[in-house]
Amino acid sequence: DVRASLKFWKQVDTYRLVTKQSKSTMHMLINSIVKPEDFDFDIKPDLLDYINSLIQDGKFQELTSILPSGWLQTRKMCFSYKTLRNMIQQRSKHKLDEWIQFINYMKENCLHYELLGI
């Protein structure tokens, strides 16, 4: 399970994943109010209140249009060692902090890191 921002997920979509499971954005948003910890940045209280008012009013079209790319979503990922190796090689010096965090986590927790040939 990986919890990351929408901006990270947009980039992950360029890789071939065996499985990528997540609840849709709409289903995640209608379950409860949005809290500051649901974002990867310090969200302004006014924006948070506005997002929550859209949720309560059921204005999901407008909500998806203004939802910041820093909103965090959890997805289950399953991929090959070849794909992981490509991710590490291509993104190890990426400007997006989520890539560095993901790569460091995979390096520390990959069961057979030696299979990556890195």
Side-chain angles (χ1 to χ4, degrees), residues 54-68:
L54 292 175
I55 292 169
Q56 291 170 349
D57 294 342
K59 296 183 178 178
F60 298 114
Q61 187 71 29
E62 188 175 345
L63 180 61
T64 56
S65 296
I66 63 111
L67 190 63

Side-chain angles (χ1 to χ4, degrees), residues 15 81-94 99-100 102-104 106-107 113-118:
Y15 293 97
Y81 278 89
K82 180 180 179 182
T83 299
L84 179 58
R85 182 180 62 237
N86 287 340
M87 288 175 165
I88 291 171
Q89 289 175 337
Q90 295 170 3
R91 306 288 176 149
S92 63
K93 296 186 188 304
H94 202 276
W99 274 113
I100 305 306
F102 174 78
I103 290 169
N104 288 338
M106 293 310 296
K107 285 180 176 179
Y113 189 76
E114 69 279 1
L115 294 176
L116 295 174
I118 298 175

Side-chain angles (χ1 to χ4, degrees), residues 32 50 55 65 110:
S32 63
Y50 181 63
I55 292 169
S65 296
C110 184

Side-chain angles (χ1 to χ4, degrees), residues 40-78:
D40 71 349
F41 63 97
D42 291 331
I43 189 168
K44 295 181 179 182
D46 293 351
L47 179 56
L48 191 64
D49 291 342
Y50 181 63
I51 290 170
N52 283 320
S53 72
L54 292 175
I55 292 169
Q56 291 170 349
D57 294 342
K59 296 183 178 178
F60 298 114
Q61 187 71 29
E62 188 175 345
L63 180 61
T64 56
S65 296
I66 63 111
L67 190 63
S69 62
W71 183 67
L72 298 172
Q73 185 178 42
T74 301
R75 296 183 184 182
K76 184 177 292 294
M77 296 173 59
C78 179

